[in-house]
Amino acid sequence: MPANLPPQYFEAEKNFRLAKTSQEKIAALEEMLAIMPKHKGTDHLRAELRRRIAKLTEAADKKAATQRASMVIQKEGAAQVVVVGPPNVGKSQLVSTVTNSSPTVAEYPFTTYTATPGMMEFENIQIQLIDTPPLVVHPTEPWLPPTLMRADALLIVLDLSDDPLTQIEAIITKLESLRISIIDRKTGDEPGATLRHKKALIIGNKIDLDAASQNYAVLQNKYQDQLPVISISAKKGISLEELKLKIYQMLGIIRVYTKTPGQKTDFTDPLILNQGSTLEDAAAEVHKDFRAKLKYARLWGSGKHDGIMVKRDHVLQDGDIIELHV
Ligand SMILES: Nc1nc2c(ncn2[C@@H]2O[C@H](COP(=O)(O)OP(=O)(O)OP(=O)(O)O)[C@@H](O)[C@H]2O)c(=O)[nH]1
Ligand SMILES: [Mg+2]
């Protein structure tokens, strides 16, 4: 049966052939469908158009989902720490100086637009740092809030050659708008709006520049009771060892070593546990069945008798060595 299609239809069909993106193709097909007269003679054609629209939409959805998933950076090492801050403060310089990765550093703001992970060595462990685009008032990249939510902690980088109080205030406010809090304070929100608390360290960068020391004193004075604060120069390499130690301390983790009877302790691959973890938690970390099976452990550690027997509720310290008996 002849379809009797109007001239606009052929125009839309041409647009379809010229379309480059899935979005353009879907739009053209929808136009063709809308223009096509509805009668028996076009039943088959209309069904075909609907099928093609459905197929393209499905493919576009899949692609979007893959893109979202590809922005998830797998945690590696002892902890995942995200580096955030205003534009041009030296976030990328810091990640480039203390890790094995080299994100672009430039004199102008808004250089970084993706997330770049790198591994920072601290004593015998590795901590993952992630460089990110600047946090500003206007909307953030859609993948950034979930990246911040997943992080074990945040490093807030500020430029000490410029007023640091204005910078930290802006960052705290922006984080709160993303439902993340780093300090306790009243937020204008209605009760019930829940903020997720994140551990954080404030890093005053560019301590090598003029006025930085005075600005740092002001920052310290206002925030040191609420958050750990440090001044560094990522570019000149000032106080970087101290910084690594502060990052480790902020994370609130401990390293515990395991040994088998009669063998030497392996100090290269510690268990990473939260402060306050017990022997039972450590056993569960070694093997999921060990929490139930554990009978006792022998413990060597700072200020303790060597090889004493401890029970499952014993609270472990950084540097303890345990020999599990199951
Ligand atoms: N004097 C001095 N300059 C620094 C220091 N750290 C970074 N810079 C300079 O500051 C500028 C910005 O550095 P970036 O690392 O690109 O800053 P960013 O925070 O990543 O910037 P965006 O990605 O745009 O948000 C560059 O010109 C760096 O050389 C520092 O410790 N001292
Ligand atoms: Mg950058």
Side-chain angles (χ1 to χ4, degrees):
M1 206 188 278
N4 283 334
L5 299 169
Q8 298 96 306
Y9 177 85
F10 297 99
E11 191 61 29
E13 194 177 42
K14 192 173 145 206
N15 286 342
F16 173 72
R17 269 183 277 119
L18 293 175
K20 287 201 177 62
T21 69
S22 314
Q23 255 70 32
E24 286 167 4
K25 283 182 187 159
I26 293 169
L29 288 171
E30 277 171 346
E31 205 188 338
M32 285 155 71
L33 190 60
I35 292 164
M36 191 175 296
K38 291 185 184 64
H39 58 70
K40 264 240 163 307
T42 61
D43 272 1
H44 181 71
L45 258 176
R46 279 186 287 135
E48 172 65 16
L49 285 176
R50 278 196 212 95
R51 199 185 58 78
R52 288 166 87 174
I53 291 170
K55 215 172 156 191
L56 277 168
T57 310
E58 194 186 320
D61 285 353
K62 257 198 197 137
K63 197 170 161 207
T66 317
Q67 273 169 352
R68 276 196 300 276
S70 72
M71 290 310 301
V72 175
I73 294 174
Q74 289 305 322
K75 173 173 156 176
E76 278 180 49
Q80 185 176 67
V81 180
V82 177
V83 180
V84 295
N88 220 38
V89 295
K91 301 179 294 300
S92 301
Q93 177 75 67
L94 173 66
V95 172
S96 171
T97 308
V98 302
T99 77
N100 59 351
S101 84
S102 16
T104 309
V105 174
E107 285 130 46
Y108 48 87
F110 299 97
T111 307
T112 305
Y113 53 89
T114 55
T116 308
M119 300 307 291
M120 177 185 88
E121 227 171 67
F122 169 73
E123 297 179 354
N124 56 349
I125 58 169
Q126 303 268 340
I127 295 170
Q128 184 183 44
L129 302 192
I130 302 179
D131 185 28
T132 62
L135 266 189
V136 285
V137 180
H138 61 68
T140 5
E141 291 74 1
W143 51 265
L144 189 53
T147 303
L148 300 178
M149 280 291 182
R150 272 191 303 272
D152 295 309
L154 306 179
L155 298 183
I156 317 286
V157 184
L158 309 173
D159 182 344
L160 289 178
S161 70
D162 199 9
D163 172 22
L165 291 186
T166 310
Q167 297 172 57
I168 185 71
E169 274 298 312
I171 293 299
I172 290 173
T173 307
K174 177 71 190 185
L175 288 172
E176 283 171 355
S177 78
L178 303 175
R179 316 245 58 87
I180 293 171
S181 82
I182 54 169
I183 54 168
D184 290 328
R185 67 171 194 174
K186 281 227 168 333
T187 62
D189 284 328
E190 69 280 10
T194 47
L195 298 186
R196 174 96 60 93
H197 183 78
K198 284 280 164 198
K199 293 170 186 148
L201 166 65
I202 301 181
I203 302 174
N205 188 32
K206 311 196 187 182
I207 190 67
D208 56 295
L209 293 180
D210 285 351
S213 299
Q214 293 95 295
N215 286 338
Y216 180 60
V218 174
L219 177 70
Q220 236 185 343
N221 194 25
K222 179 100 192 268
Y223 281 92
Q224 66 183 0
D225 293 341
Q226 306 176 71
L227 282 174
V229 191
I230 185 174
S231 70
I232 65 159
S233 169
K235 196 171 170 179
K236 299 274 156 75
I238 301 171
S239 301
L240 297 182
E241 288 311 309
E242 199 189 331
L243 170 70
K244 291 179 185 182
L245 179 62
K246 282 224 170 172
I247 293 174
Y248 178 73
Q249 289 168 339
M250 163 199 58
L251 286 167
I253 53 181
I254 58 169
R255 291 161 289 185
V256 172
Y257 306 91
T258 54
K259 75 183 279 296
T260 31
Q263 302 273 311
K264 282 216 171 94
T265 311
D266 177 8
F267 286 103
T268 61
D269 189 21
L271 295 173
I272 304 292
L273 302 167
N274 289 323
Q275 263 166 22
S277 292
T278 60
L279 176 64
E280 186 178 75
D281 298 326
E285 197 66 23
V286 173
H287 191 284
K288 63 178 167 48
D289 295 344
F290 280 14
R291 188 186 286 277
K293 286 188 181 160
L294 179 73
K295 294 199 189 82
Y296 70 95
R298 300 181 81 85
L299 177 92
W300 290 259
S302 45
K304 292 173 204 86
H305 306 288
D306 272 357
I308 55 159
M309 243 168 81
V310 290
K311 294 210 209 89
R312 54 175 62 232
D313 61 353
H314 180 85
V315 175
L316 297 167
Q317 308 291 328
D318 191 31
D320 280 352
I321 300 165
I322 53 175
E323 183 182 277
L324 299 173
H325 291 260
V326 294

